Amino acid sequence: MKTIIGLEVHVQLSTATKLFCSCSTDYQNDEPNTHCCPICLGLPGALPRLNRKAVEHGLKVAKALKMNVLEESEFARKNYFYPDLPKGYQITQYDRPLAVAGTVEIEDDEGHEKIVRITRIHLEEDPGRLIHVAGGSSYSLVDYNRSGIPLLEIVTEPDLRSPQEARRFLNRLRSILEYLEVFDGDREGALRVDANISIEGSERVEVKNISSYRGVEKALTFEVTRQKNLLRRGQSVTRETRHFMEARGITTSARSKEEEQDYRYFTEPDLRPLRVAGMVAGIDLPELPTARKERFMAQYGISLNHARTLTGDPRLADFYEEVAYVDPFLAATWVADTLLGELNYRGMRITDFPANRFVELLALIRSGTITETVAVQVLREMLDTCAAGRPCEPPAMIVKREGLVRGESEEFAEIVRDVIAANPQAVADYRAGKKGALNFLVGQVMKETRGRADPRELGRIVAEYIDRGEV
């Protein structure tokens, strides 16, 4: 059963003011309904004024995705009635969008390069936000601070074949948008997704307003399973709109799927057509993720996997370039394989950790002053200090204070003999050919030395002691 997925991605553009008025978009920490005016509230007689910066951001995205910008595009009214839409319609673009026919390159489920086609991008305003009162209340509250926030909707062709591909597409798209500096992925509600999914030969279902990358994968995984189970039982899939219940990991039916005619689109009479195709040539693009990945491999000699990881976020790529001069390969390994995991565990960002302290840690590793085991301990202590809001202590001071300088093998001879003597069963297992027993013994020695010994060297020493029968 072939799965067919297309996405409609709603991206909140990083502008100082809303799409059609001068109200600030920086409302996250403010009281409800304090960033509103007659225009974004849709009061009679209020006329929209188009935000030029939002248009420029849209054109920048179009150029990055290799799209054709229409010589003339226009805004339309999309009519529907909902409490968070004060005008009773949404100003959007319909049959004449900003740009059409682009591409995004991702990896498919087999690890091969795959092109996902972009059907169109268009500008539109965000509605407000409903706040459902807890405790079984029979009413909801409406916050119009978000009403009129500029959105760029990016619509794909149905080229995705699995929930995993959908998540990889979103990660790549987010990376491109962040490199372009038109989008802040850390803002709440900055990216929302409507996913259209079907099993080949069956009706299409739309899952609305998924608010996280992981949520998209979970919602689509549930929906693929649900639809395939229906078909296996000889039942049909109903064309409908469904909502994703993130806490339960399921989709639920909301209503039958609207058709385009239900929205009664017509041209927005208060806004002139856009003729902005000539502006594209003057837009300068930064080095985008794919180009930066290729440069990292050529310039620093790092692996494809490390280059992909390091260039997925522009801030991470910038951090790596700040520390790479110590040793490009060592820096790539420690940033991509160790530092990222430790940051994610603490809910920290790469910008929360000073690059100069990481340079000092890499220098200690490269010089052999500390083992990699000790380096992880020191890194964790530095990150915990940063997470607590205190100045990050130099790693050399931590190493000196805790007595964690790498020791010579001869220092640990007595510890090795004691561990071997205390674990006769592990020694017998090793002599019987069970190699895992050696790892156990080395681990016990590492524990006693607090990681100050090199585990590879310890493995050799422990094996020699046992093989010579000295204990």
Side-chain angles (χ1 to χ4, degrees), residues 314-347:
R315 294 161 295 190
L316 181 62
D318 291 343
F319 183 93
Y320 171 71
E321 296 217 77
E322 283 190 65
V323 305
Y325 72 89
V326 177
D327 183 319
F329 185 79
L330 181 69
T333 301
W334 273 81
V335 173
D337 298 342
T338 306
L339 178 58
L340 270 185
E342 295 293 336
L343 288 170
N344 290 337
Y345 175 76
R346 291 165 177 79

Side-chain angles (χ1 to χ4, degrees), residues 73-377:
S73 61
E74 67 179 13
F75 287 94
R77 292 186 180 182
K78 180 181 181 181
N79 294 273
Y80 64 96
F81 297 96
Y82 208 64
D84 61 4
L85 197 66
K87 295 191 292 286
Y89 61 85
Q90 178 189 33
I91 301 179
T92 181
Q93 293 184 299
Y94 176 46
D95 53 354
R96 299 169 74 185
L98 186 67
V100 297
T103 58
V104 172
E105 190 177 280
I106 66 166
E107 286 181 65
D108 64 17
D109 289 336
E110 283 71 49
H112 304 129
E113 294 294 335
K114 173 175 181 170
I115 298 297
V116 178
R117 294 170 295 162
I118 305 299
T119 309
R120 57 184 277 157
I121 63 172
H122 65 260
L123 292 164
E124 64 184 24
E125 61 179 343
D126 209 356
R129 183 167 69 104
L130 283 178
I131 301 170
H132 302 293
V133 179
S137 299
S138 59
Y139 64 94
S140 297
L141 304 175
V142 188
D143 179 7
Y144 290 116
N145 280 347
R146 200 172 72 185
S147 180
I149 292 290
L151 299 180
L152 187 71
E153 182 169 345
I154 302 168
V155 182
T156 79
E157 291 289 325
D159 290 341
L160 300 164
R161 295 292 172 262
S162 72
Q164 294 74 30
E165 280 191 6
R167 184 170 178 178
R168 283 194 292 274
F169 168 81
L170 290 173
N171 284 333
R172 176 58 60 88
L173 180 63
R174 178 189 63 180
S175 179
I176 293 170
L177 296 172
E178 288 183 337
Y179 271 80
L180 295 173
E181 298 183 338
V182 302
F183 162 78
D184 181 3
D186 293 331
R187 271 193 172 190
E188 182 185 358
L191 184 145
R192 300 191 297 279
V193 179
D194 297 341
N196 293 283
I197 179 169
S198 65
I199 308 302
E200 190 173 34
S202 297
E203 284 286 0
R204 171 169 56 92
V205 170
E206 183 179 27
V207 183
K208 296 283 285 185
N209 281 325
I210 312 170
S211 59
S212 70
Y213 308 97
R214 183 179 299 176
V216 169
E217 185 175 358
K218 289 172 65 177
L220 290 174
T221 298
F222 175 87
E223 195 57 28
V224 168
T225 303
R226 186 188 72 86
Q227 292 186 27
K228 286 184 175 180
N229 285 340
L230 285 173
L231 296 174
R232 288 190 186 103
R233 292 194 294 266
Q235 300 175 18
S236 60
V237 176
T238 302
R239 184 170 185 179
E240 61 179 340
T241 296
R242 298 178 70 86
H243 284 166
F244 177 54
M245 313 291 287
E246 189 152 10
R248 299 170 60 192
I250 65 171
T251 67
T252 58
S253 181
R255 58 183 181 271
S256 60
K257 184 74 178 77
E258 297 96 336
E259 303 292 339
E260 288 186 354
Q261 60 266 25
D262 294 331
Y263 292 119
R264 297 179 291 113
Y265 285 99
F266 63 87
T267 301
E268 169 57 64
D270 295 328
L271 290 168
R272 298 176 62 184
L274 281 177
R275 299 181 181 92
V276 294
M279 295 171 58
V280 176
I283 294 175
D284 294 324
L285 295 180
E287 184 181 38
L288 294 174
T290 299
R292 202 169 193 182
K293 175 193 70 179
E294 298 296 332
R295 177 171 67 81
F296 274 23
M297 290 190 290
Q299 179 176 342
Y300 298 115
I302 62 177
S303 70
L304 174 61
N305 285 339
H306 279 159
R308 280 178 179 151
T309 300
L310 295 171
T311 56
D313 182 326
R315 294 161 295 190
L316 181 62
D318 291 343
F319 183 93
Y320 171 71
E321 296 217 77
E322 283 190 65
V323 305
Y325 72 89
V326 177
D327 183 319
F329 185 79
L330 181 69
T333 301
W334 273 81
V335 173
D337 298 342
T338 306
L339 178 58
L340 270 185
E342 295 293 336
L343 288 170
N344 290 337
Y345 175 76
R346 291 165 177 79
M348 296 173 65
R349 303 169 185 158
I350 192 67
T351 51
D352 295 331
F353 186 55
N356 64 313
R357 294 292 182 238
F358 198 70
V359 165
E360 295 167 2
L361 182 66
L362 291 176
L364 293 175
I365 300 169
R366 191 171 188 272
S367 66
T369 303
I370 58 176
T371 66
E372 292 189 355
T373 303
V374 165
V376 172
Q377 297 176 39

